[in-house]
Amino acid sequence: MNTVITTPKNRPDPRDVSKDDSMLKQKEMMARHFDRITSAPERGEKVCATFVPGNLNELIMCFDFANNLPEVNAIQNGLRKKSGQFVMEAEKLGHSEDVCTYVKSDIGMMAKGNIAPNGEKFPDPDVLLLSYTGCFTFLKWFELLREQYQCETILLHTPYEGDGKITDNMRQYMVKQLKEEVIPKLERVSGVKFDIDRLRENLRRSAKAEDDLVYVLQTAKKRPSPIDAYFGGIYYIGPIFGAYRGTDEAIDYYATLRQEIDARMAAGLGPVTPEGAMGEEKYRLVTEGPPNYTSFRDFWKMFYDEGAVVVASSYTKVGGVYDFGFRHDPDRPLETLAEYCLGVYTNRSLPQRVDMLVDYINEYEADGLLINSIKSCNSFSAGQLLMMREVEKRTGKPAAFIESDLVDPRYFSAANIKNRLESYFQMVDQKKAGGALKGAAA
Amino acid sequence: MKSTTEIIKRCQDLYEDLQFTAARDWKDAKPGRKVVGYMPIYVPREIIHAGGMLPLGIVGGGDQLEVIHGDAYYQSYICRIPRSTIELGVGGHLDFVDGMLFPSICDVIRNLSGMWKLMFPEVYSRYFDVPQNYSDDIGGNYYISELQELREGLEEHCSVKITDEALRASIAVYNENRRLVREVYAYRAKQPWKAPAADVYLLIRAGLVLPVEEHSQMLQDWLAAVDTEERPMKDNCRIIVTGLFCEQPPLNLIKSIELSGCYIVDDDLLLVSRWLIGDVPTEGDPMRNLADAFLHHSESTASKFEPNVAEKGQHLVRSVKENGAEGVIFASPSFCDPALLDRPMLQNVLNAANIPNIAFKYAENSGQMQPIREQAGTFADSIKLWSEA
Ligand code: SF4
Ligand code: SF4
């Protein structure tokens, strides 16, 4: 028997849904982020481009750079349905159809005039800070951009946690790179002298916002969960994974968000969706892997229409894993930056990633795991089928595997994904019914 | 004296033997012997050798292995080498291997290191990280500590002792092997009609599974024999193939390129055998010497960051000049991020230097060679026309 997915009738028209304060703030912060970058040259500010995982925003701020994050641009182009043409443009220029579509979206955007979401042109970066954390593609991506921009490129190499731990050797290697290469070069490009107290202040602010973020993410342990930790989570991580970590604005945003979520919790409400509050919570899921951005809304709708809420996700840990205790520590400024980079999700070994997902399923009392495997992202995807088996084995909870791409619309097949999800929810139902029967028999 | 045909026949047998009988026999010959597997591109085999163990190169299952289990571990959009390597593991082909090293080359091999830990917990498996920072006191010190951890890990898990003295001796043994491998390459570049690319490939590949001393002897024998044999020289053009540093092309692909009118005068196959350029000093601190060689005297490849923008791709331009090549073929495994992301940059460098080039993709189990023969043939023709013009 097929589960019929229907849209609940009593949901408000999306245009009538009033936005929470945090949403308005977030939107406005994003707009300001792009305005700051595009107006940097006229304000005499320099631009640094860097990646989200292992981004050193607190350090970058010490040199007064505007921080341009290429993945954020790719996501924006995905959400605005522009990435498809950019990816194809890059392929026309000779880039392989097999490689990461973030890179191609970025290169295609460049070829088409490098226009930011605010309609202004992105200025060329003055420096590429290649914090190479958790993904080999970064290395090639910035070599490609360097070829284009011919600007200073600074490498910060983050060793991989192959054995599932951070060793002193790794930490020292990174601190030495920061001290002897990264900081002097940033000083040279920016013309600003490094002030460690300024860094400490930024780190202190980061830790404060991180506390609130973790609080918010962990409210998903409640039933019903007041948040969706994947689709909604992506909005929540925006400021802290990007150019706002270490600022007062981020502190303010997360404090507001926390209050809102507290209020939802007190009222026994579920997550906010693009169509208003979610109905009854029927399924609690943990997700692994990035979402699809080109059909983000449709994708999300397939979940909330079914009463499925994501209570924890690995993707919202790519820009930092905070929920197991890590906080930026102003008393150990360089060490803490190293540990931050070393600890991001994709820099963790596969067994660590499995442990994390198992933990999430247990701690958040989830019904199962859903993996969205991204065609063009080896960093996430290689090994996910084994991860799925391991998590199923250890938790006894069913897992499902769907496939799409981050920003290439050619690899989002709504019908296939919907089918998969339908069967999966049935499986969860059966498992629950079986569990209930067993419980009744006992 | 052995003929090259005899030598290559032995190499071909080793290549086809997916049970790794030679390595098994070596292990069984004396109690307590250990075998440590490694994947592309590079590991310091000296450290394994110095512990009296056999380093065993694992480069996937090629086109002879039927992949049954491996496909259940990988999506269709991931290259072939990890799935056939898993197949080797699950199918018991590697059940005699005591350790596995997964070099830092790409996210796929990196994640495979964790898969190995989950699937084969009794085996010592290690992700072998290498620095992308080439300063002695930054990347160098980090690398020396990594080497030390590897050394201690092997000592503990394989119950061996790896002394400095043994390390220096192993460095000398591998120096000789690298010299001979380069001699073979130089010979081929000079007289490619006498050293078919498939023969050279098999010859070097035998070094992945044989004890290094035996392999060096084999190289010497081949070098001695090849000079005494006559083979007709064809009107082929001279090309370099690049992008094959990890997943191996089928042997037929190498043959097809040559059959279509291209002599291969350089390649980046099996880089472990010549990763370090020049001799590693045998005096002084052996770990420091290995680190120096890695940082300052090693090959360029896609998984290494090139800090100097002006240097990007120049290794290819130099190879073209030194080996008298007339063009470059980019042959990359499908879905291979490092090779495919690097390719456009390298192509730009070659185009700027007026070096003709073409590109295609392959998989280790590609069966159809006709399209490749056609492409390589057209490329060869255009080079000839171009040089006559
Ligand atoms: S491969 Fe994956 S992790 Fe790496 S840049 Fe692309 S999307 Fe990001
Ligand atoms: S073939 Fe390429 S992507 Fe695949 S494992 Fe090797 S280097 Fe990585």
PDB file of all heavy atoms in Angstrom, chain A residues 51 53 71 99-103 133-138 141 290 315 318 346 374 376-381 405-406, chain B residues 107 110 337 341, ligand 1:
ATOM      1  N   PHE A  51      36.781  29.739   2.891  1.00  0.00           N
ATOM      2  CA  PHE A  51      35.728  28.716   2.896  1.00  0.00           C
ATOM      3  C   PHE A  51      35.013  28.636   4.235  1.00  0.00           C
ATOM      4  O   PHE A  51      35.559  29.019   5.261  1.00  0.00           O
ATOM      5  CB  PHE A  51      36.320  27.352   2.550  1.00  0.00           C
ATOM      6  CG  PHE A  51      36.826  27.289   1.150  1.00  0.00           C
ATOM      7  CD1 PHE A  51      38.179  27.189   0.883  1.00  0.00           C
ATOM      8  CD2 PHE A  51      35.950  27.360   0.083  1.00  0.00           C
ATOM      9  CE1 PHE A  51      38.644  27.156  -0.417  1.00  0.00           C
ATOM     10  CE2 PHE A  51      36.405  27.322  -1.222  1.00  0.00           C
ATOM     11  CZ  PHE A  51      37.752  27.221  -1.466  1.00  0.00           C
ATOM     12  N   PRO A  53      33.898  25.751   6.079  1.00  0.00           N
ATOM     13  CA  PRO A  53      34.481  24.873   7.095  1.00  0.00           C
ATOM     14  C   PRO A  53      35.888  25.339   7.436  1.00  0.00           C
ATOM     15  O   PRO A  53      36.725  25.522   6.562  1.00  0.00           O
ATOM     16  CB  PRO A  53      34.541  23.507   6.408  1.00  0.00           C
ATOM     17  CG  PRO A  53      33.613  23.598   5.244  1.00  0.00           C
ATOM     18  CD  PRO A  53      33.663  25.035   4.822  1.00  0.00           C
ATOM     19  N   GLU A  71      31.154  29.427  -0.916  1.00  0.00           N
ATOM     20  CA  GLU A  71      30.058  28.446  -0.806  1.00  0.00           C
ATOM     21  C   GLU A  71      28.739  29.157  -0.531  1.00  0.00           C
ATOM     22  O   GLU A  71      27.683  28.726  -0.995  1.00  0.00           O
ATOM     23  CB  GLU A  71      30.280  27.459   0.340  1.00  0.00           C
ATOM     24  CG  GLU A  71      31.492  26.579   0.185  1.00  0.00           C
ATOM     25  CD  GLU A  71      32.423  26.815   1.347  1.00  0.00           C
ATOM     26  OE1 GLU A  71      32.842  27.983   1.535  1.00  0.00           O
ATOM     27  OE2 GLU A  71      32.719  25.866   2.067  1.00  0.00           O
ATOM     28  N   VAL A  99      32.860  16.974 -11.424  1.00  0.00           N
ATOM     29  CA  VAL A  99      33.428  17.566 -10.201  1.00  0.00           C
ATOM     30  C   VAL A  99      32.399  18.413  -9.444  1.00  0.00           C
ATOM     31  O   VAL A  99      31.308  18.693  -9.935  1.00  0.00           O
ATOM     32  CB  VAL A  99      34.695  18.407 -10.506  1.00  0.00           C
ATOM     33  CG1 VAL A  99      35.772  17.543 -11.152  1.00  0.00           C
ATOM     34  CG2 VAL A  99      34.363  19.610 -11.369  1.00  0.00           C
ATOM     35  N   CYS A 100      32.815  18.821  -8.253  1.00  0.00           N
ATOM     36  CA  CYS A 100      31.971  19.562  -7.313  1.00  0.00           C
ATOM     37  C   CYS A 100      31.255  20.743  -7.983  1.00  0.00           C
ATOM     38  O   CYS A 100      31.883  21.598  -8.605  1.00  0.00           O
ATOM     39  CB  CYS A 100      32.852  20.067  -6.169  1.00  0.00           C
ATOM     40  SG  CYS A 100      32.031  21.233  -5.096  1.00  0.00           S
ATOM     41  N   THR A 101      29.949  20.790  -7.809  1.00  0.00           N
ATOM     42  CA  THR A 101      29.175  21.821  -8.495  1.00  0.00           C
ATOM     43  C   THR A 101      29.272  23.189  -7.803  1.00  0.00           C
ATOM     44  O   THR A 101      28.971  24.208  -8.416  1.00  0.00           O
ATOM     45  CB  THR A 101      27.695  21.415  -8.605  1.00  0.00           C
ATOM     46  OG1 THR A 101      27.264  20.923  -7.349  1.00  0.00           O
ATOM     47  CG2 THR A 101      27.504  20.353  -9.650  1.00  0.00           C
ATOM     48  N   TYR A 102      29.705  23.198  -6.546  1.00  0.00           N
ATOM     49  CA  TYR A 102      29.966  24.497  -5.907  1.00  0.00           C
ATOM     50  C   TYR A 102      31.043  25.241  -6.688  1.00  0.00           C
ATOM     51  O   TYR A 102      30.936  26.433  -6.965  1.00  0.00           O
ATOM     52  CB  TYR A 102      30.473  24.284  -4.476  1.00  0.00           C
ATOM     53  CG  TYR A 102      29.425  24.295  -3.392  1.00  0.00           C
ATOM     54  CD1 TYR A 102      28.069  24.373  -3.672  1.00  0.00           C
ATOM     55  CD2 TYR A 102      29.813  24.230  -2.046  1.00  0.00           C
ATOM     56  CE1 TYR A 102      27.137  24.381  -2.660  1.00  0.00           C
ATOM     57  CE2 TYR A 102      28.876  24.236  -1.026  1.00  0.00           C
ATOM     58  CZ  TYR A 102      27.541  24.311  -1.338  1.00  0.00           C
ATOM     59  OH  TYR A 102      26.622  24.329  -0.329  1.00  0.00           O
ATOM     60  N   VAL A 103      32.100  24.503  -7.019  1.00  0.00           N
ATOM     61  CA  VAL A 103      33.215  25.119  -7.750  1.00  0.00           C
ATOM     62  C   VAL A 103      32.716  25.651  -9.091  1.00  0.00           C
ATOM     63  O   VAL A 103      33.009  26.783  -9.483  1.00  0.00           O
ATOM     64  CB  VAL A 103      34.341  24.085  -7.998  1.00  0.00           C
ATOM     65  CG1 VAL A 103      35.488  24.715  -8.755  1.00  0.00           C
ATOM     66  CG2 VAL A 103      34.828  23.481  -6.693  1.00  0.00           C
ATOM     67  N   THR A 133      40.179  22.612   4.972  1.00  0.00           N
ATOM     68  CA  THR A 133      39.658  21.819   6.073  1.00  0.00           C
ATOM     69  C   THR A 133      38.550  20.892   5.599  1.00  0.00           C
ATOM     70  O   THR A 133      37.525  21.348   5.127  1.00  0.00           O
ATOM     71  CB  THR A 133      39.052  22.768   7.146  1.00  0.00           C
ATOM     72  OG1 THR A 133      40.103  23.516   7.718  1.00  0.00           O
ATOM     73  CG2 THR A 133      38.354  21.999   8.243  1.00  0.00           C
ATOM     74  N   GLY A 134      38.795  19.607   5.710  1.00  0.00           N
ATOM     75  CA  GLY A 134      37.714  18.646   5.514  1.00  0.00           C
ATOM     76  C   GLY A 134      37.346  18.367   4.076  1.00  0.00           C
ATOM     77  O   GLY A 134      36.368  17.672   3.829  1.00  0.00           O
ATOM     78  N   CYS A 135      38.085  18.896   3.119  1.00  0.00           N
ATOM     79  CA  CYS A 135      37.732  18.650   1.728  1.00  0.00           C
ATOM     80  C   CYS A 135      38.897  19.015   0.823  1.00  0.00           C
ATOM     81  O   CYS A 135      39.402  20.132   0.871  1.00  0.00           O
ATOM     82  CB  CYS A 135      36.507  19.475   1.346  1.00  0.00           C
ATOM     83  SG  CYS A 135      36.211  19.479  -0.415  1.00  0.00           S
ATOM     84  N   PHE A 136      39.295  18.069  -0.013  1.00  0.00           N
ATOM     85  CA  PHE A 136      40.411  18.313  -0.931  1.00  0.00           C
ATOM     86  C   PHE A 136      40.048  19.271  -2.061  1.00  0.00           C
ATOM     87  O   PHE A 136      40.918  19.888  -2.648  1.00  0.00           O
ATOM     88  CB  PHE A 136      40.873  16.989  -1.549  1.00  0.00           C
ATOM     89  CG  PHE A 136      41.943  16.319  -0.767  1.00  0.00           C
ATOM     90  CD1 PHE A 136      41.626  15.582   0.360  1.00  0.00           C
ATOM     91  CD2 PHE A 136      43.276  16.421  -1.141  1.00  0.00           C
ATOM     92  CE1 PHE A 136      42.614  14.964   1.095  1.00  0.00           C
ATOM     93  CE2 PHE A 136      44.271  15.807  -0.408  1.00  0.00           C
ATOM     94  CZ  PHE A 136      43.935  15.070   0.715  1.00  0.00           C
ATOM     95  N   THR A 137      38.754  19.350  -2.355  1.00  0.00           N
ATOM     96  CA  THR A 137      38.334  20.217  -3.460  1.00  0.00           C
ATOM     97  C   THR A 137      38.733  21.667  -3.203  1.00  0.00           C
ATOM     98  O   THR A 137      39.064  22.405  -4.132  1.00  0.00           O
ATOM     99  CB  THR A 137      36.808  20.089  -3.655  1.00  0.00           C
ATOM    100  OG1 THR A 137      36.540  18.761  -4.068  1.00  0.00           O
ATOM    101  CG2 THR A 137      36.271  21.058  -4.668  1.00  0.00           C
ATOM    102  N   PHE A 138      38.735  22.054  -1.933  1.00  0.00           N
ATOM    103  CA  PHE A 138      39.112  23.434  -1.597  1.00  0.00           C
ATOM    104  C   PHE A 138      40.469  23.818  -2.189  1.00  0.00           C
ATOM    105  O   PHE A 138      40.669  24.930  -2.670  1.00  0.00           O
ATOM    106  CB  PHE A 138      39.173  23.618  -0.077  1.00  0.00           C
ATOM    107  CG  PHE A 138      37.833  23.542   0.606  1.00  0.00           C
ATOM    108  CD1 PHE A 138      37.733  23.082   1.909  1.00  0.00           C
ATOM    109  CD2 PHE A 138      36.681  23.941  -0.040  1.00  0.00           C
ATOM    110  CE1 PHE A 138      36.507  23.007   2.550  1.00  0.00           C
ATOM    111  CE2 PHE A 138      35.444  23.874   0.593  1.00  0.00           C
ATOM    112  CZ  PHE A 138      35.355  23.405   1.891  1.00  0.00           C
ATOM    113  N   TRP A 141      40.022  24.400  -5.797  1.00  0.00           N
ATOM    114  CA  TRP A 141      39.109  25.535  -6.005  1.00  0.00           C
ATOM    115  C   TRP A 141      39.894  26.845  -5.937  1.00  0.00           C
ATOM    116  O   TRP A 141      39.788  27.713  -6.809  1.00  0.00           O
ATOM    117  CB  TRP A 141      38.015  25.469  -4.937  1.00  0.00           C
ATOM    118  CG  TRP A 141      36.846  26.390  -5.104  1.00  0.00           C
ATOM    119  CD1 TRP A 141      36.762  27.493  -5.904  1.00  0.00           C
ATOM    120  CD2 TRP A 141      35.582  26.280  -4.437  1.00  0.00           C
ATOM    121  NE1 TRP A 141      35.521  28.074  -5.766  1.00  0.00           N
ATOM    122  CE2 TRP A 141      34.777  27.348  -4.875  1.00  0.00           C
ATOM    123  CE3 TRP A 141      35.060  25.378  -3.502  1.00  0.00           C
ATOM    124  CZ2 TRP A 141      33.484  27.546  -4.400  1.00  0.00           C
ATOM    125  CZ3 TRP A 141      33.779  25.571  -3.039  1.00  0.00           C
ATOM    126  CH2 TRP A 141      32.990  26.645  -3.492  1.00  0.00           C
ATOM    127  N   PRO A 290      24.474  17.233   2.950  1.00  0.00           N
ATOM    128  CA  PRO A 290      23.886  18.539   2.628  1.00  0.00           C
ATOM    129  C   PRO A 290      22.516  18.388   1.992  1.00  0.00           C
ATOM    130  O   PRO A 290      22.165  17.311   1.521  1.00  0.00           O
ATOM    131  CB  PRO A 290      24.872  19.123   1.613  1.00  0.00           C
ATOM    132  CG  PRO A 290      26.100  18.295   1.689  1.00  0.00           C
ATOM    133  CD  PRO A 290      25.675  16.948   2.153  1.00  0.00           C
ATOM    134  N   TYR A 315      24.930  18.036   8.638  1.00  0.00           N
ATOM    135  CA  TYR A 315      25.292  19.150   7.754  1.00  0.00           C
ATOM    136  C   TYR A 315      25.435  20.465   8.518  1.00  0.00           C
ATOM    137  O   TYR A 315      26.292  21.288   8.198  1.00  0.00           O
ATOM    138  CB  TYR A 315      24.237  19.299   6.657  1.00  0.00           C
ATOM    139  CG  TYR A 315      24.525  20.436   5.695  1.00  0.00           C
ATOM    140  CD1 TYR A 315      25.684  20.434   4.916  1.00  0.00           C
ATOM    141  CD2 TYR A 315      23.646  21.505   5.563  1.00  0.00           C
ATOM    142  CE1 TYR A 315      25.951  21.468   4.042  1.00  0.00           C
ATOM    143  CE2 TYR A 315      23.911  22.545   4.678  1.00  0.00           C
ATOM    144  CZ  TYR A 315      25.062  22.529   3.921  1.00  0.00           C
ATOM    145  OH  TYR A 315      25.332  23.551   3.055  1.00  0.00           O
ATOM    146  N   VAL A 318      29.069  21.423   9.590  1.00  0.00           N
ATOM    147  CA  VAL A 318      30.232  21.576   8.694  1.00  0.00           C
ATOM    148  C   VAL A 318      31.052  22.814   9.029  1.00  0.00           C
ATOM    149  O   VAL A 318      32.242  22.857   8.785  1.00  0.00           O
ATOM    150  CB  VAL A 318      29.869  21.644   7.186  1.00  0.00           C
ATOM    151  CG1 VAL A 318      29.543  20.294   6.622  1.00  0.00           C
ATOM    152  CG2 VAL A 318      28.766  22.642   6.918  1.00  0.00           C
ATOM    153  N   THR A 346      33.298  17.461   8.464  1.00  0.00           N
ATOM    154  CA  THR A 346      33.906  16.702   7.371  1.00  0.00           C
ATOM    155  C   THR A 346      35.395  16.446   7.602  1.00  0.00           C
ATOM    156  O   THR A 346      36.018  15.746   6.822  1.00  0.00           O
ATOM    157  CB  THR A 346      33.721  17.401   6.005  1.00  0.00           C
ATOM    158  OG1 THR A 346      33.977  18.790   6.187  1.00  0.00           O
ATOM    159  CG2 THR A 346      32.332  17.183   5.455  1.00  0.00           C
ATOM    160  N   ILE A 374      25.117  13.525  -1.981  1.00  0.00           N
ATOM    161  CA  ILE A 374      25.326  14.579  -2.975  1.00  0.00           C
ATOM    162  C   ILE A 374      26.252  14.068  -4.061  1.00  0.00           C
ATOM    163  O   ILE A 374      27.384  13.663  -3.780  1.00  0.00           O
ATOM    164  CB  ILE A 374      25.922  15.819  -2.282  1.00  0.00           C
ATOM    165  CG1 ILE A 374      24.919  16.401  -1.282  1.00  0.00           C
ATOM    166  CG2 ILE A 374      26.378  16.870  -3.284  1.00  0.00           C
ATOM    167  CD1 ILE A 374      23.636  16.901  -1.882  1.00  0.00           C
ATOM    168  N   SER A 376      28.043  15.356  -6.303  1.00  0.00           N
ATOM    169  CA  SER A 376      29.351  15.918  -6.631  1.00  0.00           C
ATOM    170  C   SER A 376      30.225  16.159  -5.411  1.00  0.00           C
ATOM    171  O   SER A 376      31.239  16.811  -5.522  1.00  0.00           O
ATOM    172  CB  SER A 376      29.164  17.209  -7.411  1.00  0.00           C
ATOM    173  OG  SER A 376      28.491  18.141  -6.604  1.00  0.00           O
ATOM    174  N   CYS A 377      29.841  15.633  -4.263  1.00  0.00           N
ATOM    175  CA  CYS A 377      30.646  15.928  -3.070  1.00  0.00           C
ATOM    176  C   CYS A 377      31.234  14.655  -2.475  1.00  0.00           C
ATOM    177  O   CYS A 377      30.615  13.983  -1.669  1.00  0.00           O
ATOM    178  CB  CYS A 377      29.791  16.638  -2.022  1.00  0.00           C
ATOM    179  SG  CYS A 377      30.676  16.927  -0.480  1.00  0.00           S
ATOM    180  N   ASN A 378      32.465  14.350  -2.888  1.00  0.00           N
ATOM    181  CA  ASN A 378      33.121  13.143  -2.376  1.00  0.00           C
ATOM    182  C   ASN A 378      33.378  13.226  -0.890  1.00  0.00           C
ATOM    183  O   ASN A 378      33.384  12.221  -0.188  1.00  0.00           O
ATOM    184  CB  ASN A 378      34.467  12.937  -3.078  1.00  0.00           C
ATOM    185  CG  ASN A 378      34.291  12.344  -4.459  1.00  0.00           C
ATOM    186  OD1 ASN A 378      33.228  11.817  -4.782  1.00  0.00           O
ATOM    187  ND2 ASN A 378      35.322  12.421  -5.271  1.00  0.00           N
ATOM    188  N   SER A 379      33.622  14.418  -0.413  1.00  0.00           N
ATOM    189  CA  SER A 379      33.976  14.577   0.992  1.00  0.00           C
ATOM    190  C   SER A 379      32.867  14.011   1.873  1.00  0.00           C
ATOM    191  O   SER A 379      33.112  13.248   2.802  1.00  0.00           O
ATOM    192  CB  SER A 379      34.197  16.059   1.290  1.00  0.00           C
ATOM    193  OG  SER A 379      34.413  16.246   2.654  1.00  0.00           O
ATOM    194  N   PHE A 380      31.644  14.357   1.574  1.00  0.00           N
ATOM    195  CA  PHE A 380      30.518  13.813   2.316  1.00  0.00           C
ATOM    196  C   PHE A 380      30.180  12.398   1.858  1.00  0.00           C
ATOM    197  O   PHE A 380      29.948  11.508   2.667  1.00  0.00           O
ATOM    198  CB  PHE A 380      29.265  14.687   2.100  1.00  0.00           C
ATOM    199  CG  PHE A 380      28.970  15.609   3.236  1.00  0.00           C
ATOM    200  CD1 PHE A 380      29.279  16.958   3.157  1.00  0.00           C
ATOM    201  CD2 PHE A 380      28.385  15.139   4.395  1.00  0.00           C
ATOM    202  CE1 PHE A 380      29.007  17.816   4.213  1.00  0.00           C
ATOM    203  CE2 PHE A 380      28.104  15.981   5.450  1.00  0.00           C
ATOM    204  CZ  PHE A 380      28.420  17.328   5.356  1.00  0.00           C
ATOM    205  N   SER A 381      30.105  12.196   0.535  1.00  0.00           N
ATOM    206  CA  SER A 381      29.397  11.028   0.005  1.00  0.00           C
ATOM    207  C   SER A 381      30.166   9.716   0.028  1.00  0.00           C
ATOM    208  O   SER A 381      29.556   8.660   0.189  1.00  0.00           O
ATOM    209  CB  SER A 381      28.968  11.304  -1.440  1.00  0.00           C
ATOM    210  OG  SER A 381      28.176  12.462  -1.490  1.00  0.00           O
ATOM    211  N   ASP A 405      21.787  16.734  -5.725  1.00  0.00           N
ATOM    212  CA  ASP A 405      23.012  17.526  -5.761  1.00  0.00           C
ATOM    213  C   ASP A 405      22.761  18.821  -5.015  1.00  0.00           C
ATOM    214  O   ASP A 405      21.618  19.200  -4.766  1.00  0.00           O
ATOM    215  CB  ASP A 405      23.454  17.802  -7.195  1.00  0.00           C
ATOM    216  CG  ASP A 405      24.861  18.367  -7.208  1.00  0.00           C
ATOM    217  OD1 ASP A 405      25.790  17.602  -6.913  1.00  0.00           O
ATOM    218  OD2 ASP A 405      25.030  19.577  -7.458  1.00  0.00           O
ATOM    219  N   LEU A 406      23.848  19.494  -4.659  1.00  0.00           N
ATOM    220  CA  LEU A 406      23.711  20.738  -3.919  1.00  0.00           C
ATOM    221  C   LEU A 406      23.087  21.836  -4.780  1.00  0.00           C
ATOM    222  O   LEU A 406      22.040  22.378  -4.441  1.00  0.00           O
ATOM    223  CB  LEU A 406      25.095  21.216  -3.477  1.00  0.00           C
ATOM    224  CG  LEU A 406      25.708  20.528  -2.265  1.00  0.00           C
ATOM    225  CD1 LEU A 406      27.218  20.630  -2.305  1.00  0.00           C
ATOM    226  CD2 LEU A 406      25.184  21.182  -0.995  1.00  0.00           C
TER     227      LEU A 406
ATOM    228  N   ASP B 107      39.489  12.902  -0.983  1.00  0.00           N
ATOM    229  CA  ASP B 107      38.479  12.581   0.027  1.00  0.00           C
ATOM    230  C   ASP B 107      38.016  11.122  -0.042  1.00  0.00           C
ATOM    231  O   ASP B 107      37.570  10.568   0.951  1.00  0.00           O
ATOM    232  CB  ASP B 107      37.272  13.511  -0.148  1.00  0.00           C
ATOM    233  CG  ASP B 107      37.656  14.963   0.089  1.00  0.00           C
ATOM    234  OD1 ASP B 107      38.445  15.216   1.012  1.00  0.00           O
ATOM    235  OD2 ASP B 107      37.187  15.840  -0.654  1.00  0.00           O
ATOM    236  N   ARG B 110      40.692   9.053   1.637  1.00  0.00           N
ATOM    237  CA  ARG B 110      40.622   9.478   3.032  1.00  0.00           C
ATOM    238  C   ARG B 110      39.471   8.761   3.745  1.00  0.00           C
ATOM    239  O   ARG B 110      39.654   8.144   4.794  1.00  0.00           O
ATOM    240  CB  ARG B 110      40.400  10.995   3.048  1.00  0.00           C
ATOM    241  CG  ARG B 110      40.373  11.618   4.390  1.00  0.00           C
ATOM    242  CD  ARG B 110      39.804  13.011   4.299  1.00  0.00           C
ATOM    243  NE  ARG B 110      38.355  12.972   4.216  1.00  0.00           N
ATOM    244  CZ  ARG B 110      37.572  14.053   4.238  1.00  0.00           C
ATOM    245  NH1 ARG B 110      38.112  15.247   4.272  1.00  0.00           N
ATOM    246  NH2 ARG B 110      36.262  13.942   4.183  1.00  0.00           N
ATOM    247  N   ASP B 337      38.158  13.716  -8.636  1.00  0.00           N
ATOM    248  CA  ASP B 337      38.223  15.151  -8.357  1.00  0.00           C
ATOM    249  C   ASP B 337      39.612  15.758  -8.546  1.00  0.00           C
ATOM    250  O   ASP B 337      39.744  16.760  -9.248  1.00  0.00           O
ATOM    251  CB  ASP B 337      37.738  15.436  -6.928  1.00  0.00           C
ATOM    252  CG  ASP B 337      36.240  15.646  -6.878  1.00  0.00           C
ATOM    253  OD1 ASP B 337      35.617  15.693  -7.949  1.00  0.00           O
ATOM    254  OD2 ASP B 337      35.689  15.755  -5.769  1.00  0.00           O
ATOM    255  N   LEU B 341      39.804  18.382 -11.524  1.00  0.00           N
ATOM    256  CA  LEU B 341      39.829  19.800 -11.148  1.00  0.00           C
ATOM    257  C   LEU B 341      41.153  20.447 -11.566  1.00  0.00           C
ATOM    258  O   LEU B 341      41.212  21.634 -11.871  1.00  0.00           O
ATOM    259  CB  LEU B 341      39.641  19.954  -9.635  1.00  0.00           C
ATOM    260  CG  LEU B 341      38.221  19.753  -9.100  1.00  0.00           C
ATOM    261  CD1 LEU B 341      38.239  19.485  -7.601  1.00  0.00           C
ATOM    262  CD2 LEU B 341      37.335  20.962  -9.388  1.00  0.00           C
TER     263      LEU B 341
HETATM  264  S1  SF4 C   1      33.304  18.666  -2.498  1.00  0.00           S
HETATM  265 FE1  SF4 C   1      31.709  18.891  -0.964  1.00  0.00          FE
HETATM  266  S2  SF4 C   1      32.717  19.725   0.858  1.00  0.00           S
HETATM  267 FE2  SF4 C   1      34.068  20.010  -0.902  1.00  0.00          FE
HETATM  268  S3  SF4 C   1      33.619  22.048  -1.662  1.00  0.00           S
HETATM  269 FE3  SF4 C   1      32.348  20.645  -2.848  1.00  0.00          FE
HETATM  270  S4  SF4 C   1      30.429  20.544  -1.715  1.00  0.00           S
HETATM  271 FE4  SF4 C   1      31.942  21.448  -0.332  1.00  0.00          FE
END
